[in-house]
Amino acid sequence: MRLRLVSPLHLEATLHSGQAFRWRPQADGWHEGFIRNRACRVRADGRHLIVQAERGLTTDDVLHYFRLDGSHERFLAEVRRDAALDRALAAYPGLRLLAQDPWEVLVAYIVSANSNVGKIARTLELVANQCGVVADGVGRARFPMPDQLVRLTEADLRTTGMGYRAPYVAAAARLAANGDLDVAALARLPYDEAHEQLLGVPGVGPKVADCILLYGCGHVGAFPVDVWVARVLRADYFPRKRLRAGEVGAWARRHFGPWAGYAQHYLFHERRSARPPATAAAHAARRRVAVTSSATRARTTRGGGVKVTPS
DNA sequence: GACCAGGCAGAAC
DNA sequence: GTTCTGCATGGT
């Protein structure tokens, strides 16, 4: 299919900015991945998006996935701007928040804890391979739904490199497979209620819950605070204050408004793309953003563990 | 070898 | 209630 773009779509930044983990850039300009768990290739061509997909993927699916449905323009028009966000918007025009499958996002972000983008991507690919449902034409496996994933043992999961997160993924699969967790329904719940439900899933804390709601459930106001975002906020908003991640997240939702999470992805990507070389001085600077956690806080106040400390 | 990576859970205080 | 620590694993 060939879709006309009414506003910019920065494919490279959108697909490889750490929100989705199964897109692969090809040498010929295509990007290979999955939308609604159907294999496809996408490429930008001037003011058009070219999509080659296996049967079953509709135009509406693609429009929704890339927010070619007007929601990106609504974000740009309605989000509260400030200097830091303007800088990120200018650096990556056309970066879009993807509307991904909530189940795959849930597993991906459980796996993401204390990991990195490359390793997360490798692990998810191996998880898909373990279940072995290969999509037509591309030779890559679809991501397993809960009833498929639940058949894997913790030992199976550990072979994918996810390490200590294996029991969390197994437990999440059991909850979803037996109906105790309805990830699709989270999109229809108020933010607070959906967030609270997710905190009941093993391996899901405040930050991961916000990622699931933002990237998989359409809660564009959810504002995950990780080490990268904490660095942005510390530098640009709280140079002299010491705040918990939960407090920062609540502040950000008020500051940026209903599209706060969309703004967060811009801030995250811009900061992460500009990350300094791994020098000793840079490491020392990063260590000043202390990362702690609290199960008690996570289950009660939904606060987080990232402290934004004075520089 | 030390440190880090889109944190979380449980123990200690 | 807050803070500290261990956790699997691979890259730098």
Side-chain angles (χ1 to χ4, degrees), chain A residues 3 17 26 33 61 72 102 147 208 221 232 234 275 291:
Chain A
L3 305 173
S17 56
Q26 307 293 304
D61 291 336
H72 179 71
D147 62 312
V208 168
V232 174
R234 170 171 149 259
R275 63 181 179 275
V291 180

Side-chain angles (χ1 to χ4, degrees), chain A residues 226-275:
Chain A
D226 69 342
V227 292
W228 297 100
V229 174
R231 285 169 196 146
V232 174
L233 297 174
R234 170 171 149 259
D236 291 333
Y237 301 94
F238 303 108
R240 305 185 193 292
K241 288 188 180 176
R242 178 186 177 91
L243 297 173
R244 294 192 187 93
E247 296 171 314
V248 172
W251 172 86
R253 290 198 298 278
R254 289 194 303 273
H255 178 74
F256 291 110
W259 296 91
Y262 211 128
Q264 178 271 169
H265 192 66
Y266 270 87
L267 297 174
F268 167 78
H269 182 58
E270 200 237 356
R271 179 63 182 81
R272 188 170 164 272
S273 301
R275 63 181 179 275

Side-chain angles (χ1 to χ4, degrees), chain A residues 8-283:
Chain A
L9 166 57
H10 192 319
L11 257 190
E12 184 72 27
T14 297
L15 298 176
H16 309 290
S17 56
Q19 58 177 322
F21 302 99
R22 296 202 68 205
W23 286 98
R24 292 179 176 174
Q26 307 293 304
D28 54 6
W30 290 90
H31 302 263
E32 179 190 287
F34 295 83
I35 297 175
R36 290 185 63 83
N37 225 0
R38 289 181 169 81
C40 56
R41 285 153 49 85
V42 298
R43 180 170 64 83
D45 178 18
R47 295 188 65 83
H48 292 84
L49 175 69
I50 314 297
V51 182
Q52 297 178 345
E54 68 175 315
R55 189 166 15 181
L57 189 72
T58 68
T59 300
D60 282 347
D61 291 336
V62 177
L63 293 176
H64 178 64
Y65 184 80
F66 285 104
R67 297 188 181 275
L68 303 172
D69 53 5
S71 58
H72 179 71
E73 288 72 20
R74 283 186 57 207
F75 155 68
L76 292 174
E78 296 174 11
V79 70
R80 178 178 170 187
R81 302 285 190 91
D82 64 14
L85 181 57
D86 279 342
R87 196 169 61 233
L89 288 167
Y92 295 98
L95 168 63
R96 287 165 186 255
L97 191 76
L98 296 171
Q100 302 179 69
D101 173 75
W103 167 246
E104 183 173 337
V105 168
L106 185 145
V107 175
Y109 280 91
I110 288 177
V111 166
S112 79
N114 203 22
S115 188
N116 59 70
V117 172
K119 190 160 176 284
I120 298 161
R122 187 168 50 252
T123 291
L124 294 176
E125 195 71 16
L126 291 171
V127 167
N129 290 343
Q130 281 268 336
C131 291
V133 182
V134 176
D136 294 340
V138 296
R140 290 178 64 194
R142 304 182 203 283
F143 195 78
M145 290 296 101
D147 62 312
Q148 299 166 315
L149 192 53
V150 78
R151 294 181 209 140
L152 299 183
T153 65
E154 282 185 27
D156 294 331
L157 292 171
R158 281 179 188 273
T159 66
T160 68
M162 70 172 69
Y164 65 90
R165 309 162 193 88
Y168 302 151
V169 171
R174 282 194 297 274
L175 287 171
N178 68 21
D180 288 334
L181 172 67
D182 183 353
V183 287
L186 295 172
R188 299 187 291 274
L189 294 177
Y191 165 80
D192 286 337
E193 206 173 317
H195 197 262
E196 191 68 35
Q197 270 201 26
L198 283 169
L199 292 182
V201 179
V204 177
K207 186 268 175 182
V208 168
D210 276 327
C211 286
I212 296 164
L213 294 176
L214 176 62
Y215 297 122
C217 301
H219 283 278
V220 293
F223 195 94
V225 180
D226 69 342
V227 292
W228 297 100
V229 174
R231 285 169 196 146
V232 174
L233 297 174
R234 170 171 149 259
D236 291 333
Y237 301 94
F238 303 108
R240 305 185 193 292
K241 288 188 180 176
R242 178 186 177 91
L243 297 173
R244 294 192 187 93
E247 296 171 314
V248 172
W251 172 86
R253 290 198 298 278
R254 289 194 303 273
H255 178 74
F256 291 110
W259 296 91
Y262 211 128
Q264 178 271 169
H265 192 66
Y266 270 87
L267 297 174
F268 167 78
H269 182 58
E270 200 237 356
R271 179 63 182 81
R272 188 170 164 272
S273 301
R275 63 181 179 275
T279 62
H283 283 153

